[in-house]
Amino acid sequence: MTYDPTNVFARILRKEIPAQLLHEDEHCIAFRDAAPQAPAHFLVIPRRPIARLADAGPGDTALLGHLLQTAAALARRLGLADGGFRVVVNSGAGAGQSVFHLHVHVLGGRDFGWPPG
Ligand code: AMP
């Protein structure tokens, strides 16, 4: 799908609106979710403008790995690794995606059910 640069995460990347930043590097940033669904809930997003996981291509392979590596490193840093944490990517409105800039949810600090809703 076409990337809309007015989406809220694009605005966070441009520092037009604030976020509780946890991490920043050349390829991605991570910040706390504004409506947390668990005691710990943060998002890892690429700087590259990709609307949905479904829009990622072969040229994004290293970037996708970096997002997951960053998610795990932050989960460890926040003390979530031993208790377990959930990683979620909603791709498309039917899956619950509401912000159309690719993002990895990381949730922890409670138990999670399966299958997810
Ligand atoms: P999704 O529904 O998978 O697209 O997830 C979007 C997530 O972004 C939701 O969990 C929202 O709570 C979160 N969110 C929306 N706006 C902001 C914001 N300004 N700062 C932090 N998180 C946000």
Side-chain angles (χ1 to χ4, degrees):
M1 79 182 276
T2 310
Y3 183 81
D4 174 3
T6 66
N7 77 75
V8 67
F9 294 169
R11 297 185 64 208
I12 287 173
L13 280 164
R14 292 195 297 268
K15 303 204 184 296
E16 292 169 6
I17 56 173
Q20 287 184 58
L21 275 183
L22 296 170
H23 172 83
E24 260 192 299
D25 66 36
E26 182 186 357
H27 300 294
C28 72
I29 69 170
F31 52 91
R32 292 199 187 272
D33 196 291
Q37 301 302 309
H41 184 179
F42 63 88
L43 305 167
V44 186
I45 75 171
R47 292 191 187 276
R48 193 176 295 169
I50 302 169
R52 304 169 301 183
L53 183 60
D55 300 309
D60 299 312
T61 300
L63 177 62
L64 295 176
H66 181 69
L67 297 179
L68 282 183
Q69 187 67 254
T70 301
L74 284 172
R76 287 193 298 270
R77 192 178 103 194
L78 296 176
L80 306 175
D82 287 346
F85 59 92
R86 174 73 54 90
V87 174
V88 174
V89 178
N90 297 320
S91 182
Q97 186 174 2
S98 60
V99 178
F100 289 88
H101 180 110
L102 172 63
H103 50 282
V104 175
H105 292 260
V106 181
L107 303 105
R110 66 169 171 84
D111 290 335
F112 295 92
W114 192 266

